[in-house]
Amino acid sequence: MALPPLRQELSLLEGPPLADGQPTHTLHDPVRNLYFQIDWPSFEILSHWDKGEPELIVAAVCENTTLNIDAQAVLNVAQFFADNELLQPAIGSSSRLAERLARKRGSKLTWLLHNYLFFRIPLWRPDAWLSKFSPLFAALFTPTFRWLTLFAFIVGVIEIARDWDRFTATLVDTISLQGLLGYGIALIAVKFAHELGHAITAKRYGCRVPTMGIAFLVMWPVAYTDTNDVWRLRRKRERLAVAAAGVITELTIAAWALFFWAWLPEGLPRATAFLLATTTWISTILVNASPFMRFDGYFLLSDWLEIPNLHARAFALARWKLRELLFDLREEPPEYFPPRRQHWLILFAWGIWIYRLVLFLGIAALVYHFFIKAVGIVLFAVEIGVFVTLPIVREIIVWHKKWSVIRLRRRSIISGAILAAVLLLFAVPLPTRIHASALLQPQQYWVVYAPEGAQIEKINFRNGDTINAGKIILQMSSPKLQMRTQQLAARAKQTQWLAEAGTFDSEQRAHWQSLQMENSAALAEIQSITAQSERFTPKAPFNGVLRDIEPELSAGQWVTAKERLATLVAPGNHQVIAYIDEQAAKDLQPGAHAHFYGNNAGTPTITLRVIRIDADASRTLAEPALSNRFGGDIVVREKSGVLYPEQALYRVTLQPIEENNFLDTYIWRGNVTIDASWSPLSSRFFRSAVALIWREAGF
């Protein structure tokens, strides 16, 4: 069969040798500005392409080189050229090419999905400008500038270490709307310098830089520079320099920004240096240097390993290894690598899958919450469908095509049995254990708080004393209340005397009614103060033991309002209070067994049973010791001294099965483990999913 001719405008360039010494060449398509790396066998086949017949090409290659190829290798190269549109179209093939273009473009929906996920907007054609002004940047590539940058970085780090408190204080000051705006402007400026670093370095090595602009990755703007021309470079060091130029530019800006922050006076210039110093480190290390996405780190790793299309080739190896592990198909790997490098590439690909799964799920959630709900649901579905579900479906389709072989393998049976066991694990009811922070406390206790403006007069009991009901625990007084009582008593006595005298004085008789009302008001206020003064002599409401009284509390000492002075604890039964979420409350029934474990050493392990589960979520947290403000686990917000849980929590009351001596401390904070009802994992996931869909479906 005759081979179709190649397109005449293609050019063939020498490429860098591979790690094994094999020569490579680069095929350039100037129409699309695309480059294709050609290995040695493909180059030799291409060199004899004018012979037109696969058999003649095979004979010529085998005769003139040490290669041993067959006609299928020639046909594979021809198929590669055809798939990448490198062959001249045959006469009368316009309809076939139009049909192929339509398939490539797909439907309008496919076009919309692809352009929503990724599209570019060219903003500048910098090649002419770079040709004119790039010599001005030559000093940035000299060893002198590199040493100066290292010196600036060391000085900046030393000065920050000496003035660390002020540096961190500046960081706190930037956490504001104005500070975030400054970070945004600094990030834009740094990313422009990043892309300019790629462009200047590429032009320095004679490459053409046709465009610079903004690419949108799932509606997120990312600056880009077209540096495809670096494929012309033969030296590996030069390619690595272009790929690393952006990261090096950002690190250089950060080093000099640290230096200037240390020496500039307070004001806008110093704040700008701080923003540049902090923004560049974070952005370049977390984003650009990562090899898991197709950013600078990926191209650096690809060029360093000399493996073009690193992700695609690693993914192919990982899929092959996955099939071998699951089904033992005994197929040849998609391409040969030394064993050590092959294992590394497979682990690298699996790491990328995990990283991207987490990343795309996060992006999907961000897209869902960023847009209005109707659009967010659609975009969320697109994210999950394209980036998560579609690759899995494609792999399952490959398994289906190989089913005739898969079903005969012994390992397939083992893998199927493991899958069935996992599914059975999700379907079989399993015991559920609920874990929550808890508080062990007496069922009956009474806290003595200081009233406002109180002074200790006498302390009748000490810590650990047994007090009978009705006994006065301590006596307090309030000079302000006493003075007010005396004033009101004098006023009441005066108004009563004037009212009685009015029966003999006609002038006083006219004010008799108002005097009676004033006397009644004074007597009522005296009665109110008398009732209020009972707080200054707290009496035990039940028999109990006095706890937590301050040892240094003495007569004559003033106490602040609402200060906790002592606690009266009733002997006998204790209880444990815990708070659980809604899902756990549904799985829990009264009578369930539980165990309490204290946080401190020496705390007894107590066997409990559930007494009560509140039907409604608690609006407030009555046990402050369980809140995160006092070392507990429940996240709360405080308003006017009241603690409000951040999520819906249900109060659970548990009781010890056997009363023990709970040491000298009557309140223990710890954790409780409750045996809940048996249920399969699938039902829990299903209930959670239905609850989530039901909650988010409301517009």
Side-chain angles (χ1 to χ4, degrees):
M1 74 178 268
L3 298 174
L6 297 172
R7 286 167 44 196
Q8 295 182 356
E9 68 274 17
L10 301 177
S11 58
L12 194 61
L13 311 171
E14 289 191 29
L18 299 179
D20 59 1
Q22 179 185 167
T24 66
H25 288 76
T26 303
L27 188 65
H28 180 215
D29 181 359
V31 176
R32 297 175 293 171
N33 195 30
L34 294 179
Y35 292 84
F36 303 89
Q37 188 178 59
I38 305 297
D39 59 6
W40 181 29
S42 300
F43 169 74
E44 294 296 338
I45 292 173
L46 191 61
S47 301
H48 299 282
W49 196 263
D50 56 349
K51 298 188 180 299
E53 297 288 340
E55 292 77 10
L56 298 178
I57 295 175
V58 169
V61 171
C62 293
E63 180 180 354
N64 298 321
T65 67
T66 57
L67 294 171
N68 185 15
I69 64 172
D70 55 13
Q72 185 60 45
V74 178
L75 295 178
N76 291 340
V77 172
Q79 185 62 45
F80 171 81
F81 288 164
D83 293 339
N84 291 278
E85 301 176 2
L86 300 174
L87 302 175
Q88 291 185 18
I91 299 175
S93 61
S94 57
S95 59
R96 181 176 56 83
L97 292 176
E99 181 182 352
R100 181 177 179 179
L101 178 62
R103 285 199 310 269
K104 184 177 180 180
R105 289 178 176 176
S107 63
K108 293 183 178 180
L109 178 60
T110 304
W111 179 89
L112 179 62
L113 290 178
H114 280 282
N115 284 272
Y116 149 69
L117 296 172
F118 181 79
F119 63 93
R120 289 182 173 185
I121 301 178
L123 298 178
W124 185 27
R125 299 186 180 276
D127 196 66
W129 182 87
L130 290 171
S131 299
K132 183 177 180 180
F133 293 102
S134 59
L136 299 178
F137 300 97
L140 301 178
F141 296 89
T142 60
T144 302
F145 180 76
R146 288 197 291 269
W147 283 110
L148 286 175
T149 302
L150 180 60
F151 173 77
F153 171 72
I154 294 174
V155 171
V157 170
I158 292 174
E159 291 299 321
I160 287 175
R162 293 173 55 186
D163 203 3
W164 179 251
D165 292 338
R166 187 166 60 164
F167 186 82
T168 54
T170 307
L171 177 62
V172 174
D173 292 340
T174 58
I175 303 176
S176 62
L177 181 60
Q178 184 178 1
L180 294 177
L181 179 61
Y183 272 114
I185 295 174
L187 186 62
I188 293 173
V190 165
K191 290 308 174 185
F192 175 76
H194 175 108
E195 298 303 324
L196 199 59
H198 285 303
I200 293 172
T201 308
K203 177 55 68 173
R204 176 178 173 82
Y205 293 119
C207 298
R208 179 173 169 266
V209 183
T211 59
M212 294 176 65
I214 299 177
F216 285 85
L217 179 62
V218 196
M219 304 303 295
W220 185 261
V222 179
Y224 82 92
T225 301
D226 187 350
T227 57
N228 277 349
D229 223 38
V230 298
W231 284 98
R232 292 177 175 273
L233 303 176
R234 290 196 58 196
R235 296 180 180 177
K236 176 181 177 180
R237 181 181 62 83
E238 294 177 350
R239 291 189 178 184
L240 290 174
V242 176
V247 173
I248 293 175
T249 299
E250 292 198 42
L251 296 180
T252 301
I253 292 173
W256 284 102
L258 287 176
F259 177 82
F260 285 116
W261 180 89
W263 298 104
L264 286 172
E266 292 291 343
L268 181 61
R270 197 165 196 257
T272 303
F274 176 83
L275 292 175
L276 290 175
T278 53
T279 302
T280 49
W281 289 108
I282 298 173
S283 64
T284 195
I285 292 176
L286 295 184
V287 179
N288 296 101
S290 172
F292 297 132
M293 299 294 290
R294 293 180 64 87
F295 296 132
D296 295 343
Y298 163 75
F299 293 106
L300 276 170
L301 183 62
S302 178
D303 288 338
W304 180 61
L305 295 175
E306 297 179 343
I307 305 178
N309 299 322
L310 175 62
H311 281 177
R313 296 164 72 178
F315 291 166
L317 270 177
R319 289 191 294 267
W320 164 78
K321 187 63 177 179
L322 180 64
R323 296 167 197 156
E324 292 300 314
L325 290 175
L326 292 177
F327 310 123
D328 190 25
L329 298 178
R330 301 174 188 175
E331 294 180 342
E332 292 294 325
E335 59 180 310
Y336 172 78
F337 288 101
R340 186 174 180 179
R341 175 164 289 195
Q342 182 188 85
H343 295 157
W344 184 89
L345 288 173
I346 292 171
L347 293 176
F348 176 65
W350 289 349
I352 294 174
W353 289 352
I354 297 173
Y355 171 84
R356 290 190 176 182
L357 176 62
V358 175
L359 177 66
F360 291 146
L361 288 175
I363 292 176
L366 182 65
V367 166
Y368 172 77
H369 291 288
F370 183 76
F371 292 93
I372 60 175
K373 183 165 286 189
V375 179
I377 292 174
V378 175
L379 298 183
F380 180 88
V382 171
E383 287 289 310
I384 299 300
V386 173
F387 290 119
V388 179
T389 306
L390 187 58
I392 297 176
V393 170
R394 287 174 177 170
E395 182 62 21
I396 292 176
I397 291 174
V398 174
W399 295 357
H400 181 265
K401 293 179 180 178
K402 299 178 180 291
W403 178 247
S404 59
V405 179
I406 290 175
R407 63 188 182 87
L408 300 177
R409 296 296 183 188
R410 180 181 178 182
R411 190 172 297 174
S412 302
I413 300 175
I414 297 175
S415 299
I418 295 174
L419 177 61
V422 172
L423 295 177
L424 187 63
L425 183 65
F426 275 83
V428 172
L430 298 174
T432 305
R433 285 183 172 83
I434 300 171
H435 303 275
S437 58
L439 195 68
L440 171 65
Q441 61 185 20
Q443 290 188 6
Q444 188 178 21
Y445 64 97
W446 180 62
V447 180
V448 179
Y449 292 101
E452 184 177 1
Q455 183 182 26
I456 303 296
E457 285 190 350
K458 183 180 179 182
I459 302 175
N460 300 327
F461 298 94
R462 289 297 176 185
N463 199 48
D465 290 350
T466 301
I467 303 175
N468 294 326
K471 293 292 184 179
I472 298 176
I473 298 175
L474 51 84
Q475 294 172 322
M476 295 173 284
S477 63
S478 173
K480 183 178 179 181
L481 284 181
Q482 291 175 358
M483 182 179 296
R484 180 61 178 164
T485 303
Q486 293 172 1
Q487 291 174 348
L488 290 171
R491 182 61 179 164
K493 185 176 181 180
Q494 181 185 14
T495 54
Q496 184 179 2
W497 182 85
L498 291 173
E500 291 176 352
T503 57
F504 305 101
D505 189 344
S506 59
E507 185 178 347
Q508 291 291 336
R509 193 180 301 118
H511 302 286
W512 182 84
Q513 187 173 2
S514 61
L515 290 172
Q516 285 289 93
M517 293 179 61
E518 188 174 350
N519 179 262
S520 299
L523 292 175
E525 190 170 352
I526 290 174
Q527 187 177 2
S528 174
I529 292 176
T530 302
Q532 186 178 355
S533 63
E534 292 181 359
R535 297 173 54 199
F536 290 80
T537 55
K539 298 178 181 179
F542 50 80
N543 297 335
V545 178
L546 192 64
R547 298 288 189 185
D548 292 347
I549 191 168
E550 178 60 43
E552 298 181 358
L553 201 63
S554 60
Q557 183 176 345
W558 291 88
V559 290
T560 58
K562 298 183 180 180
E563 180 180 348
R564 187 165 182 163
L565 302 179
T567 304
L568 184 66
V569 180
N573 296 333
H574 285 67
Q575 65 182 5
V576 172
I577 302 299
Y579 289 85
I580 59 178
D581 58 26
E582 182 179 3
Q583 185 59 52
K586 292 180 179 179
D587 294 334
L588 194 60
Q589 298 293 333
H593 282 256
H595 291 85
F596 174 84
Y597 307 92
N599 290 340
N600 300 329
T603 310
T605 300
I606 305 167
T607 304
L608 314 165
R609 64 173 176 270
V610 176
I611 300 301
R612 183 175 64 256
I613 307 164
D614 287 1
D616 297 324
S618 300
R619 298 182 180 274
T620 60
L621 183 66
E623 290 76 18
L626 295 177
S627 70
N628 60 330
R629 292 179 175 268
F630 297 95
D633 298 331
I634 300 176
V635 180
V636 297
R637 67 181 185 278
E638 184 178 1
K639 185 177 181 181
S640 301
V642 181
L643 301 179
Y644 297 90
E646 289 289 353
Q647 62 175 341
L649 296 175
Y650 293 78
R651 193 172 190 264
V652 179
T653 305
L654 305 97
Q655 189 177 47
I657 293 179
E658 294 182 2
E659 278 294 332
N660 299 315
N661 179 17
F662 297 114
L663 309 181
D664 293 333
T665 303
Y666 64 94
I667 293 181
W668 291 90
R669 185 170 59 194
N671 296 281
V672 66
T673 301
I674 310 173
D675 296 332
S677 59
W678 288 48
S679 63
L681 293 175
S682 57
S683 67
R684 302 175 208 168
F685 292 146
F686 178 76
R687 288 199 303 266
S688 300
V690 170
L692 176 64
I693 294 172
W694 182 263
R695 183 178 70 247
E696 298 296 336
F699 289 91

